[in-house]
Amino acid sequence: MGFVAGAVAALAVFWSVVFTPLLLLVVCIIALASLGRSLGVRRLYVRLLLHLFEYGRQHIEVANKLKRVDSFPEENEADDQNNDGDCGVVIQRERVLVPDKGFGRSQPTTNGNSANGKSALSITPVENEPAALEFDFDLSTCLEYIKAGVESIIEDQVTSVFEAEELRSWNLLTRTNRHYEFVSWRLTVIWMMGFFVRYFFLFPLRVFICFVGVVWIVGMLALVGHLPPGRVKTALGVYAYKIGFRIMMRSLSGYLRFHNVEYRPKKGGFCVANHTSPIDVILLSSETCFCLIGQRHGGFLGILQRALARASPHIWFERSEVKDRHAVTNRLKEHVSDPNNPPILIFPEGTCINNTSVMQFKKGSFEVGGVIYPVAIKYDPKFGDAFWNSSRYSMMQYLYMMMTSWAIVCDVWYLPPMYRRSNETAVEFANRVKSVIARQGGLVDLVWDGQLKRMKAKKEWKELQQEEFSRRLKGE
């Protein structure tokens, strides 16, 4: 009897101390997500972080300046006399491996008949230049290619976009620092307090909120799926869909700023966005119900896919169907032909880029027809690097890093709808949409295929460079 009484007492204490506050937290989260509102806690939290980052930056600059003075006092005095304010050296990389219209110092021409009956190559001299009888190969011809090769070894345009974005100031995370936490005792104390808050308070709280969001999506959408088809089922499915993803966004301390909401994607079209992270789907779905497209999976991800498919017409392909371009195109055309279907969310890059650039858009979704709703996404890396380097981190490692970061702060721009012109190819249309997204998001517009992350350069690209080099050697 004593054991039973003790167990009942312990259960009562647990109920009053732990379960009741958690239940109230769940009710509050669901209520706010259903209304699409916030108490302003995340906004205040982000502002507090900005003040802490600025405080840390000032201390780091002072410490670095004192270190330079102690190490090189004479050089520091000379720099202060010669420099007015901050100045730096900007290295600009020129475009290389581009055909030069006026190759060489003189222009080649063909004249008359030669002794053997074939046209001979002669060089028309440039003014004040001695005439040359024939084109002579010079080692300087290779300098552009040597320069391009060295630059690519140091840093090329492709591999640099698959690395974490470089921060201008420290964000109090050891994964992005250079031992700045030991610059001063004040920063050390702030870093230790931040470590405790992130790992012992925010992390378990975020895991719990994420669990609530997953349970909501699986449970509520499964219930909605059993309703008879009609407007009620569609409306409840959209509502439950948004609430679930809003809860998921709160599990990452997401602070989102949506711009130009009048251009929000509408039914019967494609929403096309640059791709940085799997979180892109969560943050866009917190405002708009999308039809998702992808390969059918098993396990936990498969449970989510089946739950989503019960409430709205998502498009999941079998592994064998994904490679069938005809089947994919037909499914997309069938979907957009119904004006009542939600817009399809597509990331044409096909892989995650590090929040600094936009790479080549695949032309598939631009061949189908219909309206395209461009969306530009730009994360603020100061609070947490949202880029998922899938070749380095697994999905669980990535989620762990996101939930132990400070927050996810992001700007989303909805852009005016775009249509394919009558004389425009699918590739040209894709490039036009890509340039609009890059310009709005302040991203670098690159022509390279993002799949270079996983594969070697195509043989055709190498042959083009070889042909160009051979023409230069021949003086053409």
Side-chain angles (χ1 to χ4, degrees), residues 447-476:
V447 299
W448 302 103
D449 186 356
Q451 295 303 321
L452 288 173
K453 175 182 181 180
R454 302 180 179 89
M455 67 181 186
K456 295 182 179 180
K458 294 181 179 179
K459 184 180 179 181
E460 294 81 8
W461 298 349
K462 297 179 182 179
E463 291 175 350
L464 285 175
Q465 295 300 330
Q466 292 169 355
E467 291 176 3
E468 171 62 23
F469 187 48
S470 66
R471 285 196 296 268
R472 293 190 176 215
L473 290 180
K474 295 175 182 178
E476 298 178 355

Side-chain angles (χ1 to χ4, degrees), residues 231-252:
R231 293 184 178 181
V232 175
K233 178 181 179 179
T234 301
L236 290 177
V238 170
Y239 196 50
Y241 176 94
K242 290 181 181 180
I243 292 175
F245 282 105
R246 286 170 184 170
I247 295 173
M248 297 279 286
M249 202 66 227
R250 281 167 167 77
S251 69
L252 299 171

Side-chain angles (χ1 to χ4, degrees), residues 59 64 86 194 212:
H59 274 263
N64 289 338
D86 294 335
V212 172

